[in-house]
C-alpha cells in the first residue's frame, strides 16, 4: 500500500513536469495554441514607411519597430544589404522603447533609381530578424530659371527701354520657354523678341505718356511644357520727358604751350535727353596772339581744339571758354586753362613726316628723358626744341584706306641725328601707266622713279597694260623692268633713262617689249656666302639697281637651301650703267625654326653695294644676343620692355616692332628705332614702348589692345660705314621674332 502511494506521487510529479514542458513549447495553459511567453526569446522587425523617397543631397528617416517574443530584451546589432553607393545609413533609438530611427543620407554622387534593401537585426542567442524596405532616389526634375540683364530700367515717358531675359536650364530641361510680362503698371507694355526661346529673349518696354513718373515693379513669367513655371522680377523707373541737351568736356583741361608753339585738347560732346544733333564749336576769352582752331568745327561726338600761341604772348595762365551751340538744345560750355611758358633753350628741329596713304594724327617729342609733349603741325611741318643733346619723336599714323589700322613710329637719337630726319617737303604722287609685251605666263617687275615695285604676270598672248599706282612727281626719273620665269632666272631687262615725271599723265615712252631691240640680257654675278652654318637654312638672294632717280629696281633673285653659295644672280651689265648707279646684292639666311623659336633663332642678312658688277662674297656676321622681351604692363594697355645689346658689328641702329591684328582691317602697332646717339656708347640697354597717355590729343583707342596676342620683331643693324649705300659698302642685320600671348 505504501508503494502504491509513492508510485502515485512520482507519477503526479512526472505529469506536472511534462505539462510544464508542453506549456513552454507553445501550448497554452488551457490546451490552446499560444505565444512564446515564458518560452524561447526572439524578435521581429517592421518599417514605417516601407518605401522612402530621398532627393540627392538630402536624407530621410524610417521608423524601425522591434516586436519582442519569449521575454526578449537584449541589445540588437544592425546590418543592411542592397543600398547603393553614395547612401549612408544611420540607426539609433527613437522616442519609445523598442523603436529605432533609420536615417538614409543620399549624397550628390548617388545614382537615381529604386533600390530594395534588407535591414538585418542580430542579437546573441536568438535568430536574426530581417525586414524589407525600398529606397527611391528620384532623378533631377527638369526645370529652368530666368534672369533679367539689366534688372532695372529707367525710361522717360513716351520712350522705350530694353533688357534681356536669360534662360538657365537644369534637370535635363530641353524645351522652349514662352515669355509674358506680368504686374506692369497700366500704360506699360512689353514685347519679346523672340516670344519663345530656349536661351534668351529681348524685352522692350514701352512707356505711354499717361504713366506717372515713379518706380514700378514688374515680372517676366516663363512657361514650358514638362517643367514648372518660373519668373523673375524687375524694376522700372519712369521719368518725365527729358529735354534734349548736351555737355562739353575737355581732355586735358589744362594745356601747356611754349610761346611760338601749339598744343591740343580733345573736346568731347556728351548728349542727354535724346540729343542727336550737331554742335558748332567756338572759343572766347583767348588773349591776343592766341588762336583756337577746331577740327572739325562742327561735330557730333568730339573735336580736336588746337591752341596756337604766338611768340609775343606774355607767359601766364589764360582761361579759355569753349562754347557749343546746337539747334533745339540749350548752349553749353567748358573751360580750358591755357598755360603759356617761355620757350626752352636748345636746338630747333623741324620735321615733315611724309608717309604715303597715312594721316598724322599725333606728333609728340621728348627732350632727353623729360615728359612727352604734343606738337601742332603747321602745313605738315612740326617744330620743337631739344636742349639735352638727345631726344625722341613719336608719330601716330592712321591708314587712309583702313582707318582702324593705327601705327605709332618712334625715332630716338641725338639732336644731330634727329635734325637730319624728315627734312624734305612732302612730294606729290600720281599713277603712271603703260603697256608691256612678254612671254605668256612670265613675271614682269616694273619700277618707275621713286615708287615701289609693281609685279605682273603676262596673260595669254603676253601683251597687257600696267599701272604703278603711286609714283613721286619729280622732273626726271628712270624706269627699270625685268622679265623672269616664275621661280627662275631673269630673262630680259629694259632700262629707260630721264623720263619726265612732273606733269600729269607722264609718258614712259611706249610699250615695254621684252622681245624688242631695247631689251637686253642681264649679266650675272657669282655669290659666295661666308660665316653661315653649312645647312638647314633657306637662303634668298636679290639684286637691286638704285640711283637718285630710281628708288629700287629688282634685277634678279636667287634661292638656295643651305651651303656656301647661291646660284649666280642677275645684274645690270656695266655697259648699261652710268655715274651715280649702284647695285646691291643681298642674301637673307632664315633658319627653319625662325618663326617658332620664341625669339632665340635669328634670321641674318648680308648686303654689298657696288658701282661695277662683279662676283661677290657676302660675309655674314655672328648673331647678336637675343633680346629679352617682357610684358612690363598688361592693363589698361600692354607695354613691352626690350633689353638688347648695342655692339659691333650691329652698332648702326636697333629697331623693335610690335603688331596686333584683329580681322582684316584692324591693327595696332609700334615701331621704335634707336640710333647710337640715343644709346650713348652702346652696351646693354632697356627700352619700352612709350606711354603717351598724358600727351594732349592722345587717344587710348590708338594704343595696344589688352588681351590680344602681340607679335614682336627686333632688328639689330650694322654697316661698314655711316652710309651703307656707297660703293663697297656692306650692311648686316640680325632679326628675331616671337609672339606674346597675354
Amino acid at each position: 500500500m505504501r508503494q502504491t502511494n509513492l508510485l502515485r506521487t512520482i507519477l503526479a510529479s512526472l505529469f506536472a513536469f511534462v505539462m510544464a514542458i508542453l506549456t513552454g513549447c507553445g501550448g497554452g495553459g488551457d490546451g490552446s495554441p499560444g505565444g512564446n511567453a515564458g518560452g524561447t526569446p526572439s524578435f521581429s522587425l517592421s518599417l514605417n514607411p516601407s518605401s522612402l523617397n530621398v532627393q540627392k543631397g538630402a536624407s530621410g528617416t524610417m521608423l524601425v519597430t522591434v516586436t519582442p517574443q519569449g521575454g526578449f530584451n537584449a541589445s540588437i546589432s544592425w546590418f543592411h544589404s542592397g543600398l547603393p553607393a553614395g547612401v549612408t545609413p544611420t540607426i539609433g533609438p527613437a522616442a519609445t522603447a523598442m523603436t529605432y530611427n533609420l536615417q538614409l543620407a543620399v549624397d550628390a554622387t548617388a545614382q537615381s533609381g529604386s533600390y530594395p534593401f534588407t535591414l538585418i537585426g542580430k542579437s546573441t542567442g536568438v535568430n536574426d530578424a530581417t525586414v524589407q524596405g525600398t529606397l527611391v532616389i528620384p532623378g533631377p526634375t527638369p526645370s529652368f530659371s530666368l534672369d533679367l540683364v539689366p534688372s532695372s530700367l529707367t525710361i522717360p515717358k513716351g520712350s522705350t527701354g530694353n533688357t534681356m531675359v536669360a534662360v538657365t536650364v537644369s534637370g535635363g530641361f530641353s524645351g522652349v520657354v514662352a515669355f509674358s510680362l506680368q504686374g506692369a503698371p497700366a500704360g506699360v507694355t512689353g514685347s519679346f523678341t523672340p516670344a519663345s526661346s530656349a536661351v534668351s529673349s529681348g524685352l522692350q518696354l514701352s512707356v505711354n505718356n499717361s504713366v506717372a513718373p515713379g518706380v514700378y515693379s514688374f515680372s517676366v513669367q516663363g512657361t514650358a511644357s514638362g517643367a514648372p513655371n518660373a519668373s523673375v522680377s524687375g524694376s522700372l523707373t519712369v521719368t518725365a520727358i527729358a529735354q534734349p541737351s548736351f555737355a562739353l568736356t575737355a581732355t586735358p583741361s589744362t594745356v601747356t604751350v611754349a610761346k611760338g608753339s601749339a598744343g591740343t585738347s580733345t573736346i568731347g560732346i556728351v548728349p542727354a535727353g535724346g540729343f542727336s544733333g550737331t554742335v558748332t564749336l567756338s572759343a572766347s576769352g583767348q588773349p591776343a596772339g592766341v588762336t583756337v582752331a577746331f577740327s572739325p568745327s562742327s561735330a557730333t561726338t568730339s573735336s580736336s581744339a588746337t591752341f596756337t600761341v604766338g611768340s609775343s604772348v606774355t607767359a601766364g595762365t589764360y582761361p579759355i571758354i569753349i562754347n557749343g551751340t546746337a539747334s533745339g538744345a540749350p548752349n553749353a560750355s567748358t573751360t580750358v586753362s591755357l598755360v603759356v611758358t617761355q620757350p626752352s633753350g636748345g636746338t630747333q628741329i623741324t620735321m615733315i613726316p611724309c608717309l604715303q596713304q597715312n594721316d598724322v594724327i599725333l606728333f609728340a617729342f621728348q627732350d632727353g628723358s623729360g615728359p612727352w609733349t604734343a606738337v601742332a603741325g603747321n602745313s605738315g611741318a612740326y617744330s620743337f626744341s631739344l636742349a639735352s643733346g638727345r631726344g625722341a619723336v613719336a608719330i601716330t599714323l592712321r591708314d587712309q584706306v583702313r582707318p582702324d589700322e593705327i601705327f605709332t613710329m618712334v625715332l630716338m637719337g641725338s639732336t644731330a641725328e634727329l635734325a637730319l630726319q624728315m627734312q624734305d617737303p612732302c612730294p606729290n604722287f600720281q599713277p603712271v601707266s603703260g603697256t608691256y609685251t612678254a612671254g605668256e605666263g612670265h613675271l614682269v617687275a616694273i619700277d618707275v622713279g621713286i615708287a615701289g615695285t609693281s609685279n605682273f604676270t603676262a596673260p595669254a598672248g603676253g601683251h597687257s597694260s600696267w599701272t604703278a599706282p603711286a609714283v613721286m612727281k619729280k622732273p626726271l626719273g628712270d624706269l627699270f623692268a625685268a622679265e623672269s620665269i616664275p621661280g627662275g632666272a631673269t630673262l630680259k631687262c629694259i632700262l629707260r633713262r630721264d623720263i619726265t615725271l612732273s606733269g600729269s599723265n607722264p609718258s614712259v615712252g611706249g610699250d615695254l617689249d621684252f622681245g624688242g631691240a631695247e631689251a637686253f640680257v642681264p649679266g650675272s654675278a657669282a655669290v659666295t656666302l661666308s660665316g653661315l652654318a653649312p645647312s638647314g637654312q633657306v637662303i634668298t638672294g636679290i639684286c637691286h639697281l638704285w640711283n637718285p632717280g630710281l628708288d629700287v629696281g629688282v634685277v634678279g633673285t636667287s634661292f638656295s637651301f643651305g651651303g656656301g653659295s647661291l646660284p649666280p644672280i642677275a645684274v645690270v651689265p656695266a655697259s648699261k650703267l652710268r655715274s651715280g648707279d649702284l647695285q646691291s646684292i643681298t642674301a637673307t639666311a632664315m633658319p627653319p625654326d625662325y618663326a617658332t623659336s620664341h625669339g632665340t633663332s635669328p634670321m641674318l642678312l648680308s648686303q654689298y653695294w657696288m658701282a661695277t658688277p662683279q662676283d661677290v662674297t657676302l660675309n655674314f656676321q655672328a648673331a647678336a644676343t637675343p633680346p629679352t622681351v617682357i610684358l612690363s604692363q598688361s592693363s589698361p594697355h600692354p607695354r613691352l620692355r626690350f633689353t638688347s645689346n648695342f655692339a659691333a658689328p650691329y652698332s648702326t641702329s636697333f629697331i623693335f616692332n610690335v603688331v596686333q591684328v584683329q580681322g582684316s582691317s584692324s591693327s595696332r602697332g609700334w615701331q621704335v628705332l634707336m640710333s647710337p646717339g640715343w644709346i650713348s656708347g652702346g652696351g646693354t640697354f632697356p627700352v619700352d614702348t612709350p606711354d603717351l597717355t598724358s600727351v594732349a590729343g592722345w587717344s587710348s583707342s590708338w594704343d595696344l589692345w589688352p588681351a590680344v596676342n602681340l607679335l614682336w620683331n627686333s632688328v639689330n643693324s650694322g654697316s661698314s660705314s655711316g652710309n651703307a649705300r656707297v660703293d663697297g659698302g656692306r650692311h648686316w642685320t640680325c632679326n628675331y621674332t616671337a609672339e606674346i600671348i597675354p
Side-chain angles (χ1 to χ4, degrees), residues 252-289:
S253 58
T254 299
V255 178
T256 301
V257 182
K259 297 199 298 182
S261 298
T264 61
S265 178
T266 298
I267 307 303
I269 299 169
V270 183
F275 175 78
S276 60
T278 299
V279 177
T280 300
L281 298 168
S282 62
S284 59
Q286 60 267 39

mmCIF file of all heavy atoms in Angstrom, residues 252-289:
data_model
loop_
_atom_site.group_PDB
_atom_site.id
_atom_site.type_symbol
_atom_site.label_atom_id
_atom_site.label_comp_id
_atom_site.label_asym_id
_atom_site.label_seq_id
_atom_site.Cartn_x
_atom_site.Cartn_y
_atom_site.Cartn_z
ATOM 1 N N PRO A 252 43.107 117.134 -72.367
ATOM 2 C CA PRO A 252 43.153 117.582 -70.974
ATOM 3 C C PRO A 252 42.490 118.944 -70.829
ATOM 4 O O PRO A 252 42.306 119.671 -71.808
ATOM 5 C CB PRO A 252 44.650 117.653 -70.690
ATOM 6 C CG PRO A 252 45.248 117.997 -72.013
ATOM 7 C CD PRO A 252 44.425 117.279 -73.030
ATOM 8 N N SER A 253 42.153 119.284 -69.575
ATOM 9 C CA SER A 253 41.536 120.588 -69.327
ATOM 10 C C SER A 253 42.586 121.683 -69.142
ATOM 11 O O SER A 253 42.236 122.865 -69.131
ATOM 12 C CB SER A 253 40.638 120.514 -68.097
ATOM 13 O OG SER A 253 41.392 120.101 -66.967
ATOM 14 N N THR A 254 43.858 121.290 -68.991
ATOM 15 C CA THR A 254 44.963 122.248 -68.923
ATOM 16 C C THR A 254 45.952 121.923 -70.026
ATOM 17 O O THR A 254 46.417 120.783 -70.129
ATOM 18 C CB THR A 254 45.670 122.198 -67.563
ATOM 19 O OG1 THR A 254 44.736 122.532 -66.530
ATOM 20 C CG2 THR A 254 46.838 123.169 -67.519
ATOM 21 N N VAL A 255 46.241 122.919 -70.863
ATOM 22 C CA VAL A 255 47.152 122.738 -71.991
ATOM 23 C C VAL A 255 48.330 123.684 -71.800
ATOM 24 O O VAL A 255 48.133 124.902 -71.653
ATOM 25 C CB VAL A 255 46.456 123.011 -73.333
ATOM 26 C CG1 VAL A 255 47.434 122.859 -74.494
ATOM 27 C CG2 VAL A 255 45.266 122.075 -73.512
ATOM 28 N N THR A 256 49.535 123.133 -71.762
ATOM 29 C CA THR A 256 50.747 123.929 -71.588
ATOM 30 C C THR A 256 51.448 124.045 -72.932
ATOM 31 O O THR A 256 51.769 123.027 -73.562
ATOM 32 C CB THR A 256 51.675 123.294 -70.556
ATOM 33 O OG1 THR A 256 50.976 123.181 -69.304
ATOM 34 C CG2 THR A 256 52.932 124.128 -70.362
ATOM 35 N N VAL A 257 51.683 125.296 -73.367
ATOM 36 C CA VAL A 257 52.276 125.546 -74.683
ATOM 37 C C VAL A 257 53.360 126.607 -74.532
ATOM 38 O O VAL A 257 53.142 127.654 -73.903
ATOM 39 C CB VAL A 257 51.215 126.018 -75.698
ATOM 40 C CG1 VAL A 257 51.845 126.227 -77.069
ATOM 41 C CG2 VAL A 257 50.071 125.029 -75.781
ATOM 42 N N ALA A 258 54.526 126.327 -75.098
ATOM 43 C CA ALA A 258 55.585 127.333 -75.125
ATOM 44 C C ALA A 258 55.269 128.379 -76.186
ATOM 45 O O ALA A 258 54.632 128.083 -77.204
ATOM 46 C CB ALA A 258 56.922 126.677 -75.417
ATOM 47 N N LYS A 259 55.689 129.599 -75.943
ATOM 48 C CA LYS A 259 55.486 130.658 -76.929
ATOM 49 C C LYS A 259 56.088 130.236 -78.264
ATOM 50 O O LYS A 259 57.185 129.680 -78.322
ATOM 51 C CB LYS A 259 56.121 131.963 -76.449
ATOM 52 C CG LYS A 259 55.491 132.491 -75.168
ATOM 53 C CD LYS A 259 55.783 133.968 -74.929
ATOM 54 C CE LYS A 259 57.241 134.292 -74.774
ATOM 55 N NZ LYS A 259 57.468 135.719 -74.488
ATOM 56 N N GLY A 260 55.318 130.470 -79.322
ATOM 57 C CA GLY A 260 55.766 130.062 -80.646
ATOM 58 C C GLY A 260 55.398 128.640 -81.006
ATOM 59 O O GLY A 260 55.748 128.165 -82.089
ATOM 60 N N SER A 261 54.673 127.943 -80.109
ATOM 61 C CA SER A 261 54.294 126.552 -80.365
ATOM 62 C C SER A 261 52.778 126.409 -80.266
ATOM 63 O O SER A 261 52.047 127.394 -80.170
ATOM 64 C CB SER A 261 55.000 125.614 -79.384
ATOM 65 O OG SER A 261 56.403 125.690 -79.534
ATOM 66 N N ALA A 262 52.322 125.171 -80.266
ATOM 67 C CA ALA A 262 50.892 124.900 -80.218
ATOM 68 C C ALA A 262 50.637 123.662 -79.386
ATOM 69 O O ALA A 262 51.520 122.816 -79.194
ATOM 70 C CB ALA A 262 50.322 124.726 -81.624
ATOM 71 N N GLY A 263 49.425 123.539 -78.857
ATOM 72 C CA GLY A 263 49.002 122.368 -78.096
ATOM 73 C C GLY A 263 47.568 122.037 -78.419
ATOM 74 O O GLY A 263 46.840 122.847 -79.017
ATOM 75 N N THR A 264 47.123 120.861 -78.040
ATOM 76 C CA THR A 264 45.774 120.415 -78.387
ATOM 77 C C THR A 264 45.036 119.889 -77.177
ATOM 78 O O THR A 264 45.636 119.456 -76.186
ATOM 79 C CB THR A 264 45.807 119.312 -79.460
ATOM 80 O OG1 THR A 264 46.523 118.188 -78.947
ATOM 81 C CG2 THR A 264 46.460 119.796 -80.732
ATOM 82 N N SER A 265 43.717 119.914 -77.264
ATOM 83 C CA SER A 265 42.821 119.304 -76.285
ATOM 84 C C SER A 265 41.648 118.724 -77.054
ATOM 85 O O SER A 265 41.189 119.320 -78.040
ATOM 86 C CB SER A 265 42.335 120.330 -75.259
ATOM 87 O OG SER A 265 41.422 119.742 -74.346
ATOM 88 N N THR A 266 41.162 117.573 -76.620
ATOM 89 C CA THR A 266 40.012 116.947 -77.268
ATOM 90 C C THR A 266 38.743 117.408 -76.575
ATOM 91 O O THR A 266 38.585 117.244 -75.359
ATOM 92 C CB THR A 266 40.112 115.420 -77.204
ATOM 93 O OG1 THR A 266 41.282 115.002 -77.909
ATOM 94 C CG2 THR A 266 38.892 114.760 -77.845
ATOM 95 N N ILE A 267 37.842 118.007 -77.346
ATOM 96 C CA ILE A 267 36.572 118.497 -76.828
ATOM 97 C C ILE A 267 35.529 117.417 -77.061
ATOM 98 O O ILE A 267 35.232 117.063 -78.210
ATOM 99 C CB ILE A 267 36.154 119.817 -77.503
ATOM 100 C CG1 ILE A 267 37.290 120.842 -77.403
ATOM 101 C CG2 ILE A 267 34.876 120.341 -76.882
ATOM 102 C CD1 ILE A 267 37.755 121.149 -76.002
ATOM 103 N N GLY A 268 35.013 116.852 -75.970
ATOM 104 C CA GLY A 268 34.012 115.795 -76.071
ATOM 105 C C GLY A 268 32.610 116.361 -75.976
ATOM 106 O O GLY A 268 32.348 117.337 -75.268
ATOM 107 N N ILE A 269 31.684 115.756 -76.704
ATOM 108 C CA ILE A 269 30.273 116.150 -76.697
ATOM 109 C C ILE A 269 29.487 115.014 -76.049
ATOM 110 O O ILE A 269 29.488 113.887 -76.548
ATOM 111 C CB ILE A 269 29.764 116.416 -78.128
ATOM 112 C CG1 ILE A 269 30.572 117.558 -78.755
ATOM 113 C CG2 ILE A 269 28.276 116.726 -78.128
ATOM 114 C CD1 ILE A 269 30.337 117.730 -80.236
ATOM 115 N N VAL A 270 28.830 115.303 -74.919
ATOM 116 C CA VAL A 270 28.095 114.295 -74.158
ATOM 117 C C VAL A 270 26.601 114.580 -74.297
ATOM 118 O O VAL A 270 26.096 115.547 -73.727
ATOM 119 C CB VAL A 270 28.505 114.311 -72.675
ATOM 120 C CG1 VAL A 270 27.773 113.204 -71.919
ATOM 121 C CG2 VAL A 270 30.011 114.162 -72.529
ATOM 122 N N PRO A 271 25.855 113.765 -75.086
ATOM 123 C CA PRO A 271 24.428 114.041 -75.293
ATOM 124 C C PRO A 271 23.588 113.582 -74.104
ATOM 125 O O PRO A 271 23.962 112.685 -73.343
ATOM 126 C CB PRO A 271 24.106 113.224 -76.550
ATOM 127 C CG PRO A 271 25.069 112.088 -76.513
ATOM 128 C CD PRO A 271 26.332 112.613 -75.874
ATOM 129 N N ALA A 272 22.411 114.194 -73.945
ATOM 130 C CA ALA A 272 21.448 113.808 -72.915
ATOM 131 C C ALA A 272 20.050 114.085 -73.444
ATOM 132 O O ALA A 272 19.861 114.916 -74.354
ATOM 133 C CB ALA A 272 21.700 114.573 -71.616
ATOM 134 N N GLY A 273 19.068 113.391 -72.878
ATOM 135 C CA GLY A 273 17.686 113.637 -73.265
ATOM 136 C C GLY A 273 17.385 113.340 -74.715
ATOM 137 O O GLY A 273 16.499 113.970 -75.312
ATOM 138 N N GLY A 274 18.104 112.400 -75.293
ATOM 139 C CA GLY A 274 17.850 112.043 -76.678
ATOM 140 C C GLY A 274 18.462 112.976 -77.689
ATOM 141 O O GLY A 274 18.152 112.900 -78.888
ATOM 142 N N PHE A 275 19.374 113.848 -77.255
ATOM 143 C CA PHE A 275 20.007 114.766 -78.205
ATOM 144 C C PHE A 275 20.856 113.995 -79.208
ATOM 145 O O PHE A 275 21.631 113.109 -78.823
ATOM 146 C CB PHE A 275 20.882 115.768 -77.452
ATOM 147 C CG PHE A 275 21.664 116.680 -78.369
ATOM 148 C CD1 PHE A 275 21.043 117.756 -78.980
ATOM 149 C CD2 PHE A 275 23.006 116.450 -78.628
ATOM 150 C CE1 PHE A 275 21.750 118.595 -79.825
ATOM 151 C CE2 PHE A 275 23.721 117.273 -79.468
ATOM 152 C CZ PHE A 275 23.096 118.349 -80.073
ATOM 153 N N SER A 276 20.718 114.330 -80.481
ATOM 154 C CA SER A 276 21.496 113.660 -81.527
ATOM 155 C C SER A 276 21.938 114.635 -82.606
ATOM 156 O O SER A 276 22.238 114.224 -83.731
ATOM 157 C CB SER A 276 20.668 112.525 -82.155
ATOM 158 O OG SER A 276 19.475 113.037 -82.730
ATOM 159 N N GLY A 277 21.958 115.909 -82.273
ATOM 160 C CA GLY A 277 22.275 116.912 -83.284
ATOM 161 C C GLY A 277 23.771 117.167 -83.430
ATOM 162 O O GLY A 277 24.616 116.491 -82.846
ATOM 163 N N THR A 278 24.085 118.176 -84.229
ATOM 164 C CA THR A 278 25.460 118.596 -84.495
ATOM 165 C C THR A 278 25.761 119.860 -83.700
ATOM 166 O O THR A 278 24.954 120.800 -83.683
ATOM 167 C CB THR A 278 25.662 118.857 -85.995
ATOM 168 O OG1 THR A 278 25.414 117.643 -86.707
ATOM 169 C CG2 THR A 278 27.085 119.321 -86.282
ATOM 170 N N VAL A 279 26.912 119.878 -83.038
ATOM 171 C CA VAL A 279 27.303 121.006 -82.183
ATOM 172 C C VAL A 279 28.369 121.822 -82.908
ATOM 173 O O VAL A 279 29.370 121.269 -83.393
ATOM 174 C CB VAL A 279 27.844 120.508 -80.834
ATOM 175 C CG1 VAL A 279 28.320 121.681 -79.970
ATOM 176 C CG2 VAL A 279 26.784 119.698 -80.098
ATOM 177 N N THR A 280 28.145 123.124 -82.982
ATOM 178 C CA THR A 280 29.126 124.042 -83.564
ATOM 179 C C THR A 280 29.966 124.634 -82.435
ATOM 180 O O THR A 280 29.425 125.145 -81.452
ATOM 181 C CB THR A 280 28.427 125.160 -84.345
ATOM 182 O OG1 THR A 280 27.656 124.571 -85.398
ATOM 183 C CG2 THR A 280 29.442 126.121 -84.951
ATOM 184 N N LEU A 281 31.291 124.531 -82.585
ATOM 185 C CA LEU A 281 32.207 124.928 -81.513
ATOM 186 C C LEU A 281 32.872 126.255 -81.817
ATOM 187 O O LEU A 281 33.178 126.574 -82.980
ATOM 188 C CB LEU A 281 33.268 123.849 -81.315
ATOM 189 C CG LEU A 281 32.734 122.470 -80.893
ATOM 190 C CD1 LEU A 281 33.824 121.419 -81.000
ATOM 191 C CD2 LEU A 281 32.177 122.514 -79.474
ATOM 192 N N SER A 282 33.121 127.008 -80.751
ATOM 193 C CA SER A 282 33.854 128.276 -80.859
ATOM 194 C C SER A 282 34.569 128.516 -79.548
ATOM 195 O O SER A 282 34.320 127.833 -78.547
ATOM 196 C CB SER A 282 32.906 129.438 -81.186
ATOM 197 O OG SER A 282 31.956 129.601 -80.138
ATOM 198 N N ALA A 283 35.484 129.484 -79.542
ATOM 199 C CA ALA A 283 36.255 129.813 -78.339
ATOM 200 C C ALA A 283 36.141 131.296 -78.044
ATOM 201 O O ALA A 283 35.993 132.126 -78.960
ATOM 202 C CB ALA A 283 37.714 129.414 -78.512
ATOM 203 N N SER A 284 36.235 131.620 -76.769
ATOM 204 C CA SER A 284 36.230 133.023 -76.360
ATOM 205 C C SER A 284 37.140 133.181 -75.165
ATOM 206 O O SER A 284 37.408 132.222 -74.436
ATOM 207 C CB SER A 284 34.809 133.486 -76.023
ATOM 208 O OG SER A 284 34.264 132.703 -74.971
ATOM 209 N N GLY A 285 37.651 134.399 -74.951
ATOM 210 C CA GLY A 285 38.498 134.691 -73.806
ATOM 211 C C GLY A 285 39.973 134.538 -74.070
ATOM 212 O O GLY A 285 40.792 134.795 -73.177
ATOM 213 N N GLN A 286 40.377 134.132 -75.274
ATOM 214 C CA GLN A 286 41.801 133.963 -75.546
ATOM 215 C C GLN A 286 42.468 135.327 -75.734
ATOM 216 O O GLN A 286 41.875 136.246 -76.294
ATOM 217 C CB GLN A 286 42.040 133.073 -76.778
ATOM 218 C CG GLN A 286 41.453 133.588 -78.065
ATOM 219 C CD GLN A 286 40.069 133.041 -78.304
ATOM 220 O OE1 GLN A 286 39.290 132.909 -77.373
ATOM 221 N NE2 GLN A 286 39.760 132.759 -79.564
ATOM 222 N N PRO A 287 43.709 135.469 -75.254
ATOM 223 C CA PRO A 287 44.410 136.757 -75.405
ATOM 224 C C PRO A 287 44.861 136.969 -76.853
ATOM 225 O O PRO A 287 44.869 136.037 -77.669
ATOM 226 C CB PRO A 287 45.598 136.604 -74.458
ATOM 227 C CG PRO A 287 45.876 135.140 -74.435
ATOM 228 C CD PRO A 287 44.536 134.478 -74.536
ATOM 229 N N ALA A 288 45.246 138.191 -77.141
ATOM 230 C CA ALA A 288 45.779 138.498 -78.476
ATOM 231 C C ALA A 288 47.025 137.652 -78.729
ATOM 232 O O ALA A 288 47.860 137.468 -77.848
ATOM 233 C CB ALA A 288 46.121 139.988 -78.567
ATOM 234 N N GLY A 289 47.115 137.119 -79.920
ATOM 235 C CA GLY A 289 48.256 136.277 -80.269
ATOM 236 C C GLY A 289 47.996 134.795 -80.102
ATOM 237 O O GLY A 289 48.826 133.968 -80.468
#
